[in-house]
Amino acid sequence: MIGVITHSLFARFFPMTTHVPDDALVTLNAVNKHYGQLHVLKDINLKVRKGEVVVVIGPSGSGKSTLCRAINRLETIEGGSISIDGKVLPEEGKELAQLRADVGMVFQSFNLFAHKTILENVTLGPIKVKGTSKAAAEKDAMALLERVGVGHQAPKLPAQLSGGQQQRVAIARALAMKPKVMLFDEPTSALDPEMINEVLDVMVQLAKEGMTMIVVTHEMGFARKAADRVVFMADGQIVEDATPEEFFTNPKSDRAKDFLSKLLTH
Amino acid sequence: MDVIIENLPLYWNGFLRTLFLSAVSGIFALILGTLLAAARVSPVAALRGFSTVYVEVLRNTPLTIAFFFAAVVLPRIGVKFEQFEIAAIIALSTYTAAFIAEAVRSGVNSVPVGQAEAARSIGMKFGQVLSLIILPQALRTVIPPLINILIALVKNSSVAGAFFVLELFGYGRQMANANGDAVITVLLGTAFFYLLLTVPLGILANTVERKVAIAR
């Protein structure tokens, strides 16, 4: 009895220390980066557990895209460490390529391979990186393309598809590698308004299925609907790290209050 | 006009030799140039450095120096060959490779950086990113300057004439010496046979360019 009380009291006063996420899939430890004089990432510490959906929001230039790109080393970092599933991100080379295969990335500008068909875009990774047979890769790819609703576009080239369709193909391409975690770098920012939802729907579905996701976005609706945690960044720092409910209804910092008030007035 | 018809076998012989020199040197230059371009954009600093130095030295010195090295210096340091054609091929391909490397590199740079990032993100290694994603897309922008370089190569092959290799220009000079009264006609004939090689290259450039066009 006493044990229960003391335990709950302890948890009440030290919520962070009792809940150390041992199952962290992505860990950023004191990450620092400069662009010349600009300190874009200041001592970033972040843990993302398996199955967690973390939405990173913040004003332009706050470093959120850089943070996202640093996680699969498209941006190098100067200090600290980033590890994925317990493995520290290696330097350039074969090991880095292997690690990247486990980290799906979706870009703002889709970046589908312009000279390959939709189907080839999705099968290329499994065939060339994982050594999957062409037949098996195509079967998987078709299933993924159906899942994101662009199955009938398989033989076309990327330029023949709308932005929303291209982005869904990009998600399928990343999923084809069966990644442990998916990174989304402003996936809907380059889309026409009417195409944003078709991409967000796919992402919400993915979140429901238990995919670990780190999503940099300006879509507050998505953050409310699908996020487990909202990370608010400003000036290269993580200013708040809270549940969406907490963050949107009761932001703690002035910086976040200011940011949210500007969103609501428009 | 008679002098051209009379010497048609000589012209033809020279034409074939120039074609041979250009084709073989062109193939070697394309391979070497592409490797140099790959080295230039590789993550390994030493390769980038080597490629930069190579390109800058070969691109900024006269072709005759490359010929001199291949024909005179190489045999002195122990690289012997039976025929001077080999020296000519070495000189022409190493020289032309520098220009091809630059053209391919600019083509690589013309491909949006997002393409390489996407390829790296799905776990491709440097060689795969380059050969599967970047180079096929760079081809479109590279073809026109590449053909220009090959046309220059055909014309540059005439320098071989000064290094004991008989080719179209060498024969032309022989014929001009033998027919002192018809020098202009002989040289016009020589020019015509060069055009026979270079004009089709230009036409080829246009055809290929249209074929590999990629919609964006």
Side-chain angles (χ1 to χ4, degrees):
Chain A
M1 182 67 187
I2 287 169
V4 173
I5 291 171
T6 50
H7 181 79
S8 62
L9 272 176
F10 190 71
R12 172 76 180 76
F13 289 110
F14 303 102
M16 290 308 287
T17 48
T18 52
H19 191 80
V20 174
D22 290 324
D23 52 348
L25 190 60
V26 179
T27 310
L28 283 81
N29 191 10
V31 170
N32 274 289
K33 180 176 179 70
H34 290 80
Y35 283 131
Q37 289 291 308
L38 188 68
H39 200 168
V40 273
L41 296 179
K42 296 176 188 163
D43 260 331
I44 300 287
N45 291 293
L46 183 69
K47 281 190 174 169
V48 179
R49 269 165 290 151
K50 198 167 183 303
E52 209 175 15
V53 177
V54 173
V55 168
V56 184
I57 60 174
S60 306
S62 59
K64 52 192 195 308
S65 268
T66 310
L67 175 78
C68 185
R69 289 164 56 84
I71 295 172
N72 68 353
R73 213 175 181 273
L74 287 178
E75 300 283 349
T76 55
I77 55 171
E78 290 145 8
S81 66
I82 297 175
S83 44
I84 289 162
D85 209 5
K87 270 181 251 162
V88 175
L89 220 54
E91 297 284 303
E92 208 68 43
K94 202 172 154 191
E95 284 165 52
L96 179 65
Q98 276 166 0
L99 204 83
R100 274 182 180 145
D102 288 337
V103 181
M105 178 92 184
V106 176
F107 299 87
Q108 183 177 349
S109 50
F110 330 133
N111 294 344
L112 292 181
F113 305 134
H115 63 308
K116 299 275 184 196
T117 65
I118 296 307
L119 185 65
E120 286 168 341
N121 261 278
V122 183
T123 57
L124 200 63
I127 292 172
K128 297 292 177 183
V129 176
K130 291 198 155 176
T132 313
S133 75
K134 192 164 180 263
E138 283 183 354
K139 191 163 157 276
D140 280 359
M142 281 314 297
L144 280 168
L145 288 173
E146 294 294 346
R147 194 167 128 196
V148 298
V150 286
H152 55 293
Q153 313 279 12
K156 292 188 183 166
L157 285 171
Q160 295 170 284
L161 270 61
S162 75
Q165 289 170 328
Q166 287 193 49
Q167 193 61 301
R168 284 182 281 154
V169 174
I171 295 173
R173 175 176 69 180
L175 289 176
M177 296 302 290
K178 301 188 173 65
K180 291 174 182 162
V181 53
M182 287 278 284
L183 308 173
F184 293 82
D185 185 8
E186 302 202 23
T188 57
S189 298
L191 294 175
D192 290 343
E194 73 262 34
M195 291 171 184
I196 290 177
N197 281 333
E198 64 189 50
V199 172
L200 290 180
D201 287 347
V202 170
M203 289 166 63
V204 169
Q205 191 56 39
L206 206 56
K208 279 185 187 156
E209 287 164 16
M211 174 60 77
T212 311
M213 291 162 67
I214 298 174
V215 184
V216 174
T217 187
H218 293 292
E219 295 298 324
M220 300 304 145
F222 175 81
R224 281 176 193 273
K225 204 191 290 182
D228 295 311
R229 264 162 70 200
V230 172
V231 168
F232 176 72
M233 280 186 79
D235 306 318
Q237 281 170 312
I238 292 181
V239 179
E240 290 201 33
D241 186 343
T243 63
E245 175 68 21
E246 220 174 286
F247 178 75
F248 287 112
T249 54
N250 188 22
K252 303 227 164 20
S253 63
D254 290 341
R255 193 72 186 79
K257 280 176 194 161
D258 183 50
F259 178 76
L260 288 172
S261 72
K262 276 179 188 148
L263 285 182
L264 296 174
T265 52
H266 288 287
Chain B
M1 203 54 202
D2 289 343
V3 69
I4 295 179
I5 294 165
E6 276 166 25
N7 289 304
L8 219 46
L10 275 184
Y11 274 122
W12 184 243
N13 219 344
F15 174 83
L16 288 181
R17 280 165 179 257
T18 290
L19 179 64
F20 171 77
L21 267 185
S22 308
V24 174
S25 308
I27 289 165
F28 280 130
L30 280 171
I31 295 168
L32 183 59
T34 309
L35 290 176
L36 284 166
R40 189 73 180 266
V41 297
S42 90
V44 184
L47 286 177
R48 284 202 302 272
F50 170 78
S51 175
T52 309
V53 171
Y54 180 100
V55 168
E56 289 309 321
V57 169
L58 270 290
R59 193 170 63 144
N60 294 314
T61 48
L63 175 60
T64 30
I65 291 188
F67 263 98
F68 182 78
F69 267 88
V72 180
V73 178
L74 279 186
R76 287 228 178 149
I77 57 170
V79 187
K80 309 259 188 226
F81 19 73
E82 302 289 304
Q83 299 148 310
F84 276 105
E85 268 86 355
I86 294 178
I89 287 167
I90 291 172
L92 283 171
S93 39
T94 49
Y95 177 80
T96 307
F99 292 87
I100 287 179
E102 279 297 280
V104 172
R105 186 176 70 99
S106 76
V108 166
N109 288 341
S110 76
V111 178
V113 66
Q115 295 285 313
E117 287 184 348
R120 283 151 70 198
S121 293
I122 57 171
M124 284 190 187
K125 293 194 268 297
F126 173 73
Q128 291 177 315
V129 176
L130 205 60
S131 62
L132 297 172
I133 305 300
I134 306 299
L135 287 181
Q137 294 187 60
L139 199 61
R140 182 180 54 146
T141 43
V142 165
I143 290 283
L146 226 45
I147 301 271
N148 272 338
I149 293 167
L150 292 178
I151 289 172
L153 167 66
V154 171
K155 299 188 290 176
N156 285 340
S157 69
S158 66
V159 175
F163 289 85
F164 324 114
V165 178
L166 268 183
E167 38 64 73
L168 186 51
F169 187 73
Y171 278 111
R173 208 166 42 187
Q174 273 188 3
M175 286 182 271
N177 285 337
N179 302 281
D181 53 336
V183 173
I184 294 171
T185 324
V186 167
L187 288 180
L188 282 176
T190 312
F192 171 77
F193 276 94
Y194 271 108
L195 288 175
L196 218 53
L197 273 172
T198 49
V199 170
L201 270 177
I203 295 169
L204 180 75
N206 289 335
T207 321
V208 178
E209 198 179 347
R210 257 180 279 126
K211 254 195 163 169
V212 296
I214 305 161
R216 269 203 193 281

